[in-house]
Amino acid sequence: MDADEKRRRAEDKRAGVFADELAKLRRRRAALEAKETRLLADAYALTLKQRSRIGSASSRERDMPLRSMALELGMAVRVNDRSMQTQMHDAHELVHGFPQTMEALAEGRVTRAHAQVIQDAGRVIEDPVDRAAYERIVLVEAERQTVPRTKKYARQRAEVLDPRPLQERHDTAIRGRRVFVTDLDDTLSALTIVGGNVYIHGAYHRLTGQGTTVKDVDRAKRRAYAAGQGTAQKTSGSGRGDGTGDGDDNGTGDGGGDGGPSLGEGSEPWFDDRTLDEIRCDLALDMLLAGTPVIDPTDPTTGGLGAIRAEVQITIPITTLTGVTNSGAELNGVTPVDPDTARRMAGTARIWERVMTDPITGVVTAVDRYTLHPSQTRFLNARDVTCRTPGCRRPAKLCHIDHSKDFALGGPSCNDNLCNECARHHTLKHATNWHVEQLPGGILKFTSPGGKTYDSHPPSRVAFVPTDDGGYGVAPF
């Protein structure tokens, strides 16, 4: 056996060792996730006991134990309390409704993702005996297949055992139709429409047909241009051959003939280099914003961004607005905006808010506005940006102005005692034993019913600071 063959066998053996170690680690992770699931299920069960002791018929008051527990656990692991509440509910359902799956998870035979798809597909099965049979069948598949394949198989088996007819399931599901926005990287966002499959596929098909037509027109334009250039070259070549041409190689002669006037350098017509996906996106946004596909490449203000009319808060450095630098802007304190878009929207905005910040700390110092508006609300919206409860990202404009120290108990209506809280967390604060204390610099100190403390810092609004050489650098805070 030569050296190369020995090395190959040794490397293959190491690959097997890696695979064994990875499998062991995944089994340990599954066992830990099973423990976490049981912990969350126990926490959920405790809130159910607390709820049963509340005599009030108000659903809001009866929900407070669960919401408070979710906030407590969410803050401890830096998870949004709504997400934590869902995790607690799912854990309780998995432990009590799918015991065979929990056993497989604890033993490391399936992953938490496998368990989740089994639970998601099987929750429609109401009869415990049928659900147990469903678990046994699907777990065999889950122990040897990937999560996507397990999900498909689980759905097929659950549909057989689901007592509801398809129409009833559709009528229930269609009530969950919605539209939502997901912010992506590099100033992009995704608009997701969840609706009936016939309508969604029909809309997609229409966009595809329109996009294909755009591409067909562009191809015809390219062919016509190529044919015209070919005719012009033949005519020019003939002239040079018999000594009658002017000999210019740049095509600036008369270039007569069937091809029409010859196009000189820089005179090439505009061609559409967008992909079909890009065209579909542009058409969909144009129709949503303006009602019809009216984007005009020669006048971008008539469609696309020019059709947007909204009151939003854009934080933009003055150097970006004037074109001195290309540092980015920020929309509603949530997602970045590219400089060109920020400047274009600044030119069409009906209302401007100017946010002045300390150049060192980034703390908002003042806000002014041409049209009259309560100054404290403007200040707090600019300082807080979102709900101040850790983990919540609801925009400040949609929140309540809350007194950290209750007004009824003597709390003053000054900026040092006010902050933005969404309706959910505002209600939770007053209905439970959560307390909020304001510290200097807009910092809020949250104290949970269990005695844990969590700090909420206002977001810094400084991205760039002047440097000694007259330029701009990234802020060190």
Side-chain angles (χ1 to χ4, degrees):
M1 184 184 301
D2 58 20
D4 289 342
E5 179 66 16
K6 289 182 178 180
R7 182 172 61 252
R8 185 188 66 79
R9 290 191 177 186
E11 291 173 348
D12 289 345
K13 186 176 181 179
R14 288 193 67 195
V17 173
F18 291 153
D20 290 341
E21 288 299 315
L22 180 61
K24 290 180 182 178
L25 290 173
R26 291 294 174 92
R27 285 194 293 270
R28 292 175 187 171
R29 179 196 295 180
L32 286 174
E33 289 178 330
K35 290 183 179 180
E36 179 180 324
T37 300
R38 293 190 184 280
L39 184 148
L40 294 177
D42 290 343
Y44 188 86
L46 176 59
T47 66
L48 293 180
K49 292 180 180 178
Q50 294 172 328
R51 175 190 177 101
S52 66
R53 295 195 298 266
I54 297 177
S56 173
S58 170
S59 60
R60 188 179 70 178
E61 292 186 27
R62 293 169 64 83
D63 284 343
M64 288 305 156
L66 175 59
R67 289 163 60 172
S68 181
M69 179 70 76
L71 186 58
E72 173 83 54
L73 299 182
M75 283 189 176
V77 294
R78 297 180 297 281
V79 173
N80 179 275
D81 58 303
R82 288 181 181 272
S83 298
M84 180 55 67
Q85 188 169 320
T86 300
Q87 292 178 30
M88 292 168 60
H89 173 271
D90 287 350
H92 186 267
E93 181 185 59
L94 182 60
V95 168
H96 295 280
F98 299 85
Q100 297 177 67
T101 304
M102 272 300 301
E103 181 181 355
L105 179 63
E107 294 175 355
R109 291 186 282 120
V110 297
T111 67
R112 184 65 178 87
H114 284 94
Q116 189 65 56
V117 298
I118 293 173
Q119 177 184 1
D120 290 342
R123 61 166 48 102
V124 299
I125 306 174
E126 299 176 356
D127 184 83
V129 176
D130 288 344
R131 193 186 305 126
Y134 157 83
E135 275 193 280
R136 284 194 299 273
I137 295 172
V138 178
L139 278 171
V140 173
E141 191 77 2
E143 291 180 26
R144 62 189 182 193
Q145 294 291 357
T146 62
V147 173
R149 290 193 176 187
T150 302
K151 181 178 182 179
K152 181 179 180 180
Y153 183 75
R155 283 183 172 178
Q156 292 173 343
R157 299 305 306 176
E159 287 181 0
V160 174
L161 298 172
D162 192 337
R164 301 171 303 162
L166 177 60
Q167 184 62 53
E168 181 181 342
R169 300 204 304 269
H170 168 77
D171 292 342
T172 301
I174 199 65
R175 296 183 66 84
R177 61 190 184 278
R178 61 195 184 278
V179 178
F180 59 92
V181 174
T182 304
D183 292 319
L184 308 176
D185 296 331
D186 300 324
T187 75
L188 295 182
S189 294
L191 177 68
T192 303
I193 304 175
V194 179
N197 54 8
V198 174
Y199 298 100
I200 297 298
H201 280 272
Y204 183 81
H205 182 269
R206 184 186 180 198
L207 289 170
T208 301
Q210 291 173 330
T212 302
T213 300
V214 172
K215 297 293 286 185
D216 290 342
V217 171
D218 183 67
R219 278 192 290 268
K221 185 178 179 181
R222 290 175 186 267
R223 285 194 295 267
Y225 174 72
Q229 287 294 92
T231 302
Q233 290 175 2
K234 288 181 180 179
T235 303
S236 177
S238 174
R240 285 193 296 273
D242 59 14
T244 60
D246 59 12
D248 276 346
D249 290 335
N250 59 9
T252 57
D254 61 16
D258 295 338
S262 177
L263 295 174
E265 184 178 356
S267 299
E268 180 176 311
W270 179 85
F271 294 126
D272 195 338
D273 293 323
R274 294 175 297 172
T275 65
L276 184 57
D277 279 336
E278 291 174 313
I279 294 174
R280 270 193 294 248
C281 177
D282 293 342
L283 287 169
L285 293 177
D286 213 12
M287 286 189 286
L288 285 172
L289 294 171
T292 55
V294 294
I295 291 182
D296 183 356
T298 64
D299 185 11
T301 64
T302 61
L305 290 175
I308 298 176
R309 293 291 185 270
E311 289 187 21
V312 296
Q313 185 185 75
I314 297 180
T315 304
I316 174 172
I318 189 65
T319 51
T320 299
L321 186 60
T322 56
V324 175
T325 66
N326 278 322
S327 55
E330 193 176 53
L331 173 63
N332 288 342
V334 176
T335 181
V337 179
D338 67 277
D340 286 344
T341 300
R343 283 192 284 266
R344 190 177 303 122
M345 295 188 71
T348 59
R350 294 183 292 111
I351 297 175
W352 262 97
E353 289 186 347
R354 185 172 63 183
V355 179
M356 279 76 75
T357 62
D358 187 293
I360 302 302
T361 65
V363 174
V364 174
T365 58
V367 174
D368 64 5
R369 186 178 182 181
Y370 180 75
T371 57
L372 295 179
H373 195 277
S375 60
Q376 287 180 298
T377 300
R378 298 201 308 271
F379 176 87
L380 294 168
N381 286 350
R383 184 196 70 183
D384 295 343
V385 182
T386 64
C387 169
R388 289 300 302 276
T389 301
C392 184
R393 294 174 57 83
R394 188 163 183 81
K397 292 177 63 175
L398 304 179
C399 291
H400 299 168
I401 301 294
D402 178 43
H403 291 74
S404 297
K405 182 180 179 181
D406 197 339
F407 180 81
L409 300 178
S413 294
C414 62
N415 292 341
D416 292 337
N417 190 49
L418 298 172
C419 68
N420 277 284
E421 295 281 352
C422 69
R424 172 186 175 86
H425 295 126
H426 187 189
T427 303
L428 179 65
K429 171 179 170 287
H430 288 284
T432 63
N433 288 326
W434 279 88
H435 299 285
V436 179
E437 177 185 1
Q438 294 233 10
L439 304 178
I443 300 173
L444 304 184
K445 180 180 179 181
F446 286 74
T447 303
S448 74
K452 300 289 187 179
T453 59
Y454 309 90
D455 289 343
S456 172
H457 293 258
S460 172
R461 306 303 291 269
V462 174
F464 299 90
V465 295
T467 58
D468 293 338
D469 59 1
Y472 289 87
V474 177
F477 39 81

